[in-house]
Amino acid sequence: MPKLLHVDSSPLHGRSVSRELTAAFVTQWKSSHPHGLVIDRDLNTTSIPPITAEWVGAVYTPEEARTPEQKQLLSLSDSFLSELEEADEYVFGVPMHNFSVPSVLKLWIDQIARVGKTFSYTDGTPKGLIIGKKATFILATGGIYDAQTQMASFNFVEPYLRALFGFLGVTAATFLTAGGTMALNHGQDRDTFLAPHLQAVQTYAQTL
């Protein structure tokens, strides 16, 4: 049974462009995989604490030697890791916040980037441990940050996510971007704006 992990990070919910596009992706994916399972993870309804010294200490304590308190500290991280491992494919909804990813997504990343779980080092060489997975990142940006545009150098979302997930072993990554969403705040018809992006997402999802 194929499994898809669906992660949303926008705080806008019903007004979110990235959420509407990931929902369309999931609908098409379900149509293509009628016996598939979708694991939904809304990072804005999940309380994710920042990394602490105690958390780091728990991570570097051998599993068999961890105290009950340390196991509790890692329980949320373990849940996230279980979802990543269980799924065959991932789809992430990512709005650009201040040229980078939303804070809740960064908190999630800090929980899943764990030595011995999602990456390792052998003789000083890093190795990603999340292998054989496909990831689709659906980005929504207020401005236009496409390559060769004036603002391209301000886009730290795609380079960061591509580098981070590549480091963890997810090299089959596709990025679909809905740029210029600020137009929706200035009278642009939402359906007209979304139509080509919905079509692109649905067309791509059909290939998976």
Side-chain angles (χ1 to χ4, degrees), residues 44-122:
N44 277 277
T45 61
T46 305
S47 180
I48 309 175
I51 298 305
T52 63
E54 291 77 16
W55 187 94
V56 174
V59 165
Y60 283 94
T61 298
E63 193 166 348
E64 64 277 6
R66 287 176 189 151
T67 66
E69 291 77 17
Q70 287 178 318
K71 292 177 181 178
Q72 180 59 35
L73 278 174
L74 297 179
S75 61
L76 180 62
S77 173
D78 289 340
S79 295
F80 291 158
L81 291 172
S82 177
E83 292 172 350
L84 280 170
E85 182 178 354
E86 184 179 355
D88 307 292
E89 303 175 43
Y90 313 136
V91 60
F92 293 86
V94 187
M96 176 185 281
H97 285 184
N98 300 314
F99 310 122
S100 188
V101 300
S103 56
V104 292
L105 180 56
K106 181 57 169 65
L107 288 170
W108 178 88
I109 288 169
D110 289 344
Q111 293 282 334
I112 62 94
R114 279 176 56 181
V115 66
K117 293 291 187 179
T118 52
F119 70 95
S120 65
Y121 281 96
T122 302

Side-chain angles (χ1 to χ4, degrees), residues 168-189:
L168 300 181
V170 184
T171 56
T174 298
F175 289 80
L176 305 174
T177 301
T181 63
M182 69 170 64
L184 298 175
N185 297 327
H186 300 283
Q188 170 74 50
D189 178 72

Side-chain angles (χ1 to χ4, degrees), residues 120-160:
S120 65
Y121 281 96
T122 302
D123 297 326
T125 301
K127 177 183 179 182
L129 301 179
I130 310 178
I131 57 176
K133 314 287 188 178
K134 294 180 180 179
T136 303
F137 297 92
I138 299 179
L139 314 184
T141 64
I144 303 294
Y145 300 89
D146 296 342
Q148 311 305 319
T149 65
Q150 184 178 1
M151 297 293 287
S153 63
F154 287 79
N155 179 7
F156 296 96
V157 178
E158 181 174 341
Y160 171 65

